[in-house]
């Protein structure tokens, strides 16, 4: 079922430059006796972490308070990423739900705005080092793991603004389908192919991020978890969970003349 509640306010930034989510009413995308899915705003941590001791609002606690019962996250989204986030409502359901993610049977689809014009469709098969506890928020030092992402260009624009050495600047809207789930995989993969995500203060390019802040008032990572398709661990039904693009994302697309109306499936 769908229960549209008030959106989060995202009117301040953390030390890394990302928008920080302050309020606690969450948009419920799906709920039944065993599962609940939300449209996580950019700037909201999933749960308490040692990487940010100053954070006071978390999706787990906010949803627990909103529903009046415990919730258990089945997967993770970076703080700066918005979109579909799935929880178990029963601790006994969590192992079966988590197993669907671990075995790669969950289809995940994201959209992002990136620098440059990528090829129309291509695969990124580039191994990534695993993050260890000792790494904190530094570079990963763990074992190398295989990582795969499918990329599809959905739209493009060329702005009459000089950011680098060229007189114009190119950007694209891309669809991303990862088949592995490494930490920061999409952000690291897109940096590897020289098309970093706009708003990424870790793997992106500061000059382009600055342009979007100053010209389009965009203070977030432009990465959104749009779809999640999986088999329900209890009923066996196929779940198609989708999270509409948030206003701060669609406003940028419209300003770039890449209106979501051109990609009707994104604005549903």
């Amino acid at each position: 079922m769908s229960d549209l509640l008030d959106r989060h306010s995202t009117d301040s930034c953390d030390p890394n430059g990302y928008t920080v989510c302050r309020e606690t009413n969450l948009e419920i995308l799906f709920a039944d006796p065993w599962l609940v899915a939300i449209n996580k705003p950019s700037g909201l941590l999933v749960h308490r972490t040692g990487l940010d001791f100053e954070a006071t609002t978390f999706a787990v606690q906010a949803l627990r308070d909103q529903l009046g019962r415990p919730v258990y996250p089945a997967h993770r989204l970076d703080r700066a990423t918005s979109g579909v986030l799935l929880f178990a409502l029963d601790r006994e359901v969590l192992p079966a739900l988590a197993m669907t993610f671990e075995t790669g049977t969950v289809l995940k689809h994201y959209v992002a705005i990136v620098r440059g014009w990528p090829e129309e469709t291509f695969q990124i098969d580039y191994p990534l080092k695993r993050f260890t506890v000792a790494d904190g928020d530094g570079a990963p030092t763990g074992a190398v793991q295989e990582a795969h992402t499918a990329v599809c260009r959905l739209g493009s624009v060329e702005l009459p603004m000089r950011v680098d050495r060229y007189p114009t600047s190119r950007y694209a809207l891309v669809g991303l389908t990862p088949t592995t789930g490494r930490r920061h995989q999409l952000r690291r993969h897109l940096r590897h192919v020289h098309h970093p995500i706009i708003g990424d203060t870790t793997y992106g390019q500061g000059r382009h991020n600055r342009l979007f802040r100053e010209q389009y008032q965009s203070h977030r990572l432009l990465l959104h978890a749009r779809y999640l398709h999986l088999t329900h661990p209890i009923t066996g039904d196929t779940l198609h969970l989708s999270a509409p693009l948030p206003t701060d994302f669609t406003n940028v697309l419209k300003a770039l003349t890449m209106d979501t109306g051109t990609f009707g499936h994104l604005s549903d």
Side-chain angles (χ1 to χ4, degrees):
M1 69 182 181
S2 176
D3 181 14
L4 184 61
L5 301 177
D6 292 339
R7 301 274 183 167
H8 278 66
S9 171
T10 54
D11 55 2
S12 59
C13 295
D14 74 2
N16 294 319
Y18 291 132
T19 299
V20 177
C21 192
R22 297 298 185 191
E23 297 180 8
T24 54
N25 286 334
L26 295 163
E27 179 185 353
I28 307 296
L29 302 172
F30 170 86
D32 68 10
W34 305 280
L35 308 176
V36 60
I38 67 168
N39 190 357
K40 187 188 84 67
S42 175
L44 182 66
L45 283 166
V46 175
H47 49 65
R48 191 177 301 276
T49 171
L51 299 180
D52 191 337
F53 293 103
E54 297 183 357
T56 58
T57 304
F58 312 93
V60 170
Q61 287 86 346
L63 187 58
R64 176 199 63 197
D65 294 344
Q66 185 170 322
L67 299 179
R69 60 183 298 178
V71 296
Y72 308 94
H75 60 117
R76 63 180 183 269
L77 287 179
D78 292 343
R79 177 180 192 164
T81 304
S82 56
V84 181
L85 183 62
L86 184 63
F87 297 81
L89 290 173
D90 188 324
R91 188 184 293 274
E92 295 181 355
V93 175
L94 185 59
L97 181 59
M99 184 60 65
T100 64
F101 285 88
E102 294 172 6
T103 57
T105 57
V106 177
L107 176 63
K108 295 174 283 186
H109 183 74
Y110 297 71
V111 292
I113 296 178
V114 302
R115 184 189 68 79
W117 287 358
E119 299 175 38
E120 289 191 3
T121 59
F122 63 101
Q123 297 279 337
I124 303 174
D125 297 314
Y126 180 70
L128 298 170
K129 285 187 178 180
R130 184 176 62 85
F131 283 88
T132 67
V133 174
D135 294 331
D137 58 358
T141 59
V144 172
Q145 299 174 301
E146 65 177 47
H148 310 285
T149 303
V151 184
C152 175
R153 193 177 75 212
L154 302 174
S156 58
V157 65
E158 186 167 14
L159 303 178
M161 303 177 188
R162 180 186 292 273
V163 176
D164 292 320
R165 55 182 175 150
Y166 302 104
T168 61
S169 300
R170 292 178 171 184
Y171 302 97
L173 178 69
V174 296
L176 305 165
T177 304
T179 55
T180 51
R182 312 308 178 200
R183 183 177 169 187
H184 297 174
Q185 175 175 318
L186 300 179
R187 297 162 62 188
R188 294 161 75 186
H189 267 179
L190 286 164
R191 179 185 66 172
H192 173 69
V193 296
H194 309 294
H195 295 292
I197 300 174
I198 299 301
D200 195 332
T201 60
T202 301
Y203 304 104
Q205 293 185 327
R207 294 187 298 273
H208 294 275
N209 295 344
R210 190 178 310 114
L211 172 69
F212 275 69
R213 287 196 302 269
E214 294 175 352
Q215 295 292 324
Y216 308 115
Q217 294 73 55
S218 179
H219 298 272
R220 57 158 294 173
L221 176 71
L222 291 171
L223 175 64
H224 179 75
R226 183 68 179 92
Y227 295 109
L228 201 62
H229 297 174
L230 70 154
T231 301
H232 196 295
I234 302 300
T235 67
D237 295 336
T238 300
L239 297 181
H240 300 281
L241 308 176
S242 62
L245 290 178
T247 301
D248 54 5
F249 201 122
T250 58
N251 284 346
V252 174
L253 287 176
K254 291 175 182 178
L256 293 173
T257 69
M258 289 196 297
D259 194 313
T260 55
T262 307
F263 316 102
H265 60 291
L266 295 178
S267 55
D268 293 339

